Amino acid sequence: MYGDSAATRRRVAQLREQGSDIRATADRLVSQAESVPWHGRAADSMRSRIQDRANRLKVAAGHHESAADSLARHLVEVDARKDAIETTRARATSLVADAAGRIAALAHDDSGRAPTDEDSALVAFVPPPAGHKDWLDVELPGL
């Protein structure tokens, strides 16, 4: 199976939390710099530099949020593919079992009828491993 959705969701949450933490750190630095009882050109320069660094930290926090958003969108796509794989696998398994049942019934039937081409194709199907992406490309009669 592709992608551990739970692990990816945890990583999205971590990225969002890290972004929030970075933003809070930036605000705390500015607040601490403003509360220093120091005056003059050097104090103003220090506060200006702290504000600049805080702005850069907020940009980094925004990057974390963007990464979390991108990863969350990716997770939606991965989960959709995983669902499609499982749906196709379940449907194919059912079709193959039904065809095998019909062929077995014909074997016990004295009518001499041969299996249909569709049933023969279905029972000859060699499935990909469970959860494999190749399930997305499976083509079977009735699928």
Side-chain angles (χ1 to χ4, degrees):
M1 188 59 75
Y2 295 95
D4 182 347
S5 297
T8 304
R9 281 187 190 85
R10 286 191 301 274
R11 186 63 186 136
V12 167
Q14 287 172 337
L15 285 167
R16 292 192 195 291
E17 184 178 346
Q18 288 171 340
S20 294
D21 289 349
I22 291 169
R23 193 175 306 282
T25 298
D27 291 340
R28 193 171 47 256
L29 286 172
V30 170
S31 176
Q32 289 172 345
E34 294 295 328
S35 68
V36 172
W38 180 27
H39 303 288
R41 285 178 37 189
D44 292 342
S45 177
M46 180 270 305
R47 288 184 183 98
S48 175
R49 292 187 73 183
I50 291 295
Q51 183 63 52
D52 179 57
R53 297 303 189 269
N55 289 340
R56 292 181 188 188
L57 284 172
K58 288 179 181 180
V59 168
H63 291 315
H64 278 73
E65 292 164 6
S66 293
D69 292 343
S70 294
L71 191 54
R73 284 190 303 274
H74 175 73
L75 178 59
V76 168
E77 292 297 320
V78 167
D79 284 345
R81 297 300 187 292
K82 287 167 50 177
D83 289 345
I85 287 168
E86 181 53 28
T87 298
T88 301
R89 187 208 56 79
R91 181 75 178 124
T93 300
S94 176
L95 289 170
V96 169
D98 291 348
R102 287 189 297 273
I103 290 174
L106 286 176
H108 298 328
D109 183 347
D110 290 335
S111 68
R113 291 182 299 166
T116 65
D117 290 343
E118 285 184 356
D119 283 350
S120 295
L122 286 166
V123 295
F125 174 64
V126 177
H132 195 278
K133 68 177 180 152
D134 286 351
W135 280 104
L136 296 172
D137 299 322
V138 167
E139 292 184 18
L140 288 173
L143 189 60

